[in-house]
Amino acid sequence: MKLQRKNRLRAITAGALAVSGVLVLTACGSDNNNDSGGGGSKAASNIKCDGKGQLLASGSSAQKNAMDLWIKTYGAACKDTKLNYKATGSGAGIQEFLQGKTAFAGSDSALKPEEVKSSEKICKGGKAIDLPMVGGPIAVGFNVPGVDKLTLNADVLGKIFNSEIKKWDDPAIKALNKDAKLPSIKIQAFHRSDESGTTDNFTKYLKAAAPKAWPHEPGKAWEGKGGQSADGSSGVSSQVKQVSGAISYFELSYATANSIKTVDLDTGASAPVQATVENASKAISEAKIKGTGSDLALDLAYDTKADGAYPITLVTYEIACDKGNKASTLAATKSFLTYVASEDGQTSLKELGYAPLPTEIANKVRESVKSLS
């Protein structure tokens, strides 16, 4: 049963990836989208459509698979709105939003104070706010010949990604994997070449849990020593799939879709923790809201040692103006984000490897979306 379920997850996620190139342009105009996936026709029937025309958004590649499914379901119900989401990376998405090119942006980390200040130019009479929408684990995927199960901790990960541990049979890795037959091959560590909220969250984990092993400041741009780079979550996961000795970090659905093995984390809890939706949910449930007013930026517990809590998590935010949204896209933006934040929108993502928002946070998101003007 476990193998059947795993294969089912891979098939579902692979399907979401396969349609991504065409889906954003055609989902709302096709009559063949009655099977909307996840929530099906029931979810589509619960969507309140509003607004018409083209709705442009860009940003986080970590939420791309979620967006593909949401757009398909929303498009089945709201054929007068064509939503195009481009997974350009969080940094590029925020930049396009601040240039007034998109109705909203997706970002794997909350806005910086200077970005909020800059947003006042396009949010007439208001400012940009963070609306948490997608939760889930950042998996550490690996491709080590002969190794099916691998446990690492923050200290070892920090040294691997800072080019201090260079071979898979390093004593520090052996100490955590006494039963594994680790080959004496070079570690090929891949990081994101684009500015990424996934990188921001991954390095926040390293800094919080292993500050000596990771001396760099967290951020969207990679600052570790050495390593190789690739563009987007799809790029780094493809490299891990293809390159012997490779390791990288990406949203769990990319590991599932590509049949990539993932690292278990030794967090100091009673047992190593797997990268699963349920374990990420335990960590996200410890998050505190640090934003004010309708801004719902979260403070995540990256250094948690709670049993079963997977600490390398991300929460993807949709970035929108609290006031001053463009009149031509406001209705459609609120309609789409209302569906995304709904119970149907959230629960539809479980089998793609995402964690629905905790109820308390989801309720606050729905209130903030409702207040957009």
Side-chain angles (χ1 to χ4, degrees):
M1 291 296 292
K2 185 176 181 181
L3 180 59
Q4 291 176 344
R5 182 174 182 271
K6 187 175 182 181
N7 288 336
R8 183 178 174 221
L9 290 177
R10 290 173 179 168
I12 291 170
T13 311
L17 285 166
V19 297
S20 62
V22 177
L23 185 58
V24 293
L25 297 177
T26 63
C28 304
S30 172
D31 292 329
N32 297 322
N33 287 324
N34 293 325
D35 179 11
S36 52
S41 58
K42 180 182 177 182
S45 67
N46 290 336
I47 295 172
K48 182 181 181 297
C49 302
D50 203 357
K52 295 181 180 180
Q54 188 89 343
L55 192 63
L56 301 177
S58 65
S60 165
S61 62
Q63 72 170 16
K64 180 182 182 297
N65 298 340
M67 276 290 176
D68 286 347
L69 182 56
W70 281 332
I71 289 169
K72 184 177 180 182
T73 305
Y74 185 81
C78 307
K79 299 187 185 331
D80 289 334
T81 303
K82 294 182 179 181
L83 196 148
N84 187 338
Y85 180 82
K86 295 182 180 179
T88 56
S90 299
I94 290 175
Q95 183 178 26
E96 287 193 332
F97 176 77
L98 294 178
Q99 292 171 346
K101 295 179 179 179
T102 54
F104 65 91
S107 176
D108 306 334
S109 54
L111 292 165
K112 297 177 181 178
E114 59 267 28
E115 292 171 335
V116 175
K117 181 65 177 177
S118 179
S119 72
E120 294 175 1
K121 298 176 183 177
I122 62 159
C123 302
K124 304 301 182 183
K127 63 182 185 301
I129 57 172
D130 303 286
L131 300 171
M133 209 67 78
V134 178
I138 299 173
V140 180
F142 67 94
N143 180 353
V144 183
V147 179
D148 292 324
K149 188 174 180 62
L150 185 68
T151 297
L152 300 174
N153 59 24
D155 185 76
V156 170
L157 279 171
K159 291 176 180 177
I160 285 175
F161 281 93
N162 206 35
S163 298
E164 292 180 21
I165 293 179
K166 299 180 180 181
K167 285 197 172 184
W168 279 111
D169 61 348
D170 187 277
I173 301 177
K174 282 185 173 181
L176 294 168
N177 299 274
K178 295 180 180 179
D179 296 329
K181 294 182 179 179
L182 295 162
S184 184
I185 62 173
K186 183 180 178 181
I187 295 174
Q188 306 282 354
F190 286 88
H191 57 266
R192 292 278 291 271
S193 59
D194 55 319
E195 287 200 2
S196 163
T198 309
T199 295
D200 192 22
N201 283 275
F202 181 62
T203 53
K204 281 177 179 176
Y205 159 73
L206 294 177
K207 188 67 174 179
K212 291 183 179 179
W214 189 256
H216 313 288
E217 287 303 311
K220 294 186 180 74
W222 184 258
E223 298 205 4
K225 295 179 183 177
Q228 303 174 67
S229 65
D231 187 64
S233 294
S234 59
V236 290
S237 60
S238 293
Q239 291 298 319
V240 173
K241 178 73 172 179
Q242 298 167 13
V243 177
S244 178
I247 185 171
S248 190
Y249 56 92
F250 35 80
E251 195 275 325
L252 179 61
S253 66
Y254 288 88
T256 306
N258 291 287
S259 302
I260 296 172
K261 302 178 184 70
T262 60
V263 168
D264 294 345
L265 290 180
D266 181 346
T267 64
S270 61
V273 186
Q274 294 181 329
T276 68
V277 171
E278 293 77 14
N279 292 344
S281 293
K282 290 181 182 179
I284 293 172
S285 67
E286 297 181 23
K288 306 295 183 185
I289 295 176
K290 62 181 180 180
T292 57
S294 55
D295 183 274
L296 301 175
L298 300 177
D299 188 7
L300 297 170
Y302 296 103
D303 57 351
T304 180
K305 293 179 174 60
D307 283 348
Y310 183 83
I312 318 180
T313 59
L314 64 77
V315 171
T316 292
Y317 300 92
E318 310 314 325
I319 309 296
C321 298
D322 58 356
K323 299 177 182 178
N325 288 280
K326 293 180 180 178
S328 59
T329 58
L330 175 60
T333 297
K334 292 180 68 173
S335 172
F336 179 71
L337 294 183
T338 295
Y339 159 62
V340 166
S342 72
E343 185 176 352
D344 285 338
Q346 289 292 306
T347 58
S348 69
L349 298 181
K350 287 183 179 179
E351 292 196 63
L352 289 184
Y354 295 102
L357 295 173
T359 301
E360 181 181 353
I361 294 174
N363 287 337
K364 291 182 181 295
V365 171
R366 292 162 195 161
E367 292 174 7
S368 288
V369 171
K370 188 177 180 180
S371 70
L372 297 180
S373 62

